[in-house]
Amino acid sequence: MKRNIKLAGLVAGVSVGAVVAGIVVAAQQTPTLASASGDGSLKPIDSVSKPTQKPSTPTSRPSSGGPASTNPASSEPAGAVKQTIDLTKLKQGAAPATSYSDGRTVHVGGTKFTLPASDGPVWDVARTGTGALVLHRPKDDGKAVLTTWTNGSRGESVNDVTTVASSADQASSAYAVQPTNADGTELPKFTLTWRDNPSGEKYSLQRTGEHGPIVLAVQGSEVYFSASNKNEKESLYKWTAGDEAPKPISAVPDPSAVSPNLTLAASIVSTTDDGSCTALIDLATGRKSWATCEYAVDELKADSAYALGGPAYRDGYGDGLFAAIDVKTGHAIREWSGGSAVAIISSVMEDADHILVLAEQGGKTAIARCTPKTGACELATPLKKGTGDEDNRPYQLGH
């Protein structure tokens, strides 16, 4: 999932969680923030035991010398099971296993630490073993600062960081510094830094002629990132820490996600005024497995049967929906939305079998956990007062 953050004009959520310049912000349909009505019109997903799936329609094909016959092999695949979330009807479950912030407190696995008020809102958190790289906004100038925390102690800070990510084993991380001019416009240059988390050792790469870097995946000393040229054409690169230059990945021209094990990538293959189409590509061979125009592919998990999908068209407050896409076929298994009562802000994969979603309802916010296999959802954090449109959202999803 693209995790770059455009803080200027952002309402409270990223790349990290929620803006198109890197993370996924927008929405296919702008949900309202009205409280859930009690008239029974909103069906909570935890009360749906057997959601109705759209039946497949067999196509008729004439056989030679005879009347039309039904050919099951040509049947259209059944659509995703579509469900609606009602946060007020979900039971409380376990806390998120991935990093997240609860107010000023950052949770990373079994540890936590509290940021000073001067750090401002938290936008992203990348785990580094017993610590984290926290992306936050100290001032109202649209710029972010990345601060290192280890065993609850504050370390160094780096200005103008727009994107950060850690490897699956949390042993290494990468982040990018994007300078801007006085009015906030990105300059055509940036610095990409790889970090060995246990030792703090770093290597940096200077790039000119491009801007808007997004760190998509890190494994060992390898970093996969994207950047845009002056014509806003986005390219994917592979950089090994210490090398003088990255290698372009031509098979993935407009990337939206790279799996943590660096084997699969999602590439936007076409865009229109109504949305986009995304293909799944094998990084070793450059071959496309499938393409979907129904959803965007926001995240790939190395050990999961699902890819995390979002709306193919984003233009509004939050994402509006999220979906579990079968990695083998490209067909969505389930789709969750908030209807008119719940704003779906952003989502991340907690592990191979669960999705975490940041959502708002009735002036409150919570992180919920949904299971693609069953469709069941539960609260991963309690509902708390505050939303992004008021710039006081109590929670934020990290990696």
Side-chain angles (χ1 to χ4, degrees), residues 30 35 39 138 174 179 189 271 292-293 304 349 364 368 379 385:
T30 304
S35 299
D39 61 0
K189 61 181 180 179
T271 57
T292 175
C293 299
S304 179
M349 296 192 71
K364 297 181 179 181
L379 291 178
K385 184 178 180 181

Side-chain angles (χ1 to χ4, degrees), residues 40-133:
S41 59
L42 184 67
K43 182 179 290 185
I45 55 180
D46 63 341
S47 69
V48 180
S49 57
K50 293 183 179 180
T52 302
Q53 216 170 4
K54 184 174 68 176
S56 58
T57 303
T59 56
S60 296
R61 180 177 300 176
S63 58
S64 57
S69 61
T70 299
N71 182 3
S74 65
S75 298
E76 291 293 329
V81 178
K82 297 186 177 182
Q83 302 176 215
T84 304
I85 292 179
D86 182 350
L87 297 175
T88 66
K89 302 293 178 64
L90 301 183
K91 297 179 180 179
Q92 187 63 53
T98 57
S99 58
Y100 70 101
S101 64
D102 180 351
R104 308 228 54 77
T105 301
V106 175
H107 296 256
V108 285
T111 64
K112 61 182 179 180
F113 51 89
T114 301
L115 306 181
S118 57
D119 276 1
V122 174
W123 296 105
D124 203 356
V125 181
R127 293 181 63 177
T128 60
T130 59
L133 299 178

Side-chain angles (χ1 to χ4, degrees), residues 358-384:
L358 182 68
E360 301 174 355
Q361 181 173 358
K364 297 181 179 181
T365 300
I367 297 175
R369 173 185 296 106
C370 296
T371 306
K373 185 176 181 180
T374 65
C377 292
E378 63 183 11
L379 291 178
T381 64
L383 264 170
K384 281 191 177 182

Side-chain angles (χ1 to χ4, degrees), residues 313-337:
Y313 175 76
R314 286 178 160 114
D315 183 19
Y317 185 78
D319 281 353
L321 60 84
F322 61 101
I325 301 172
D326 188 323
V327 173
K328 292 183 178 180
T329 67
H331 299 308
I333 304 301
R334 293 186 188 274
E335 175 195 302
W336 295 266
S337 64

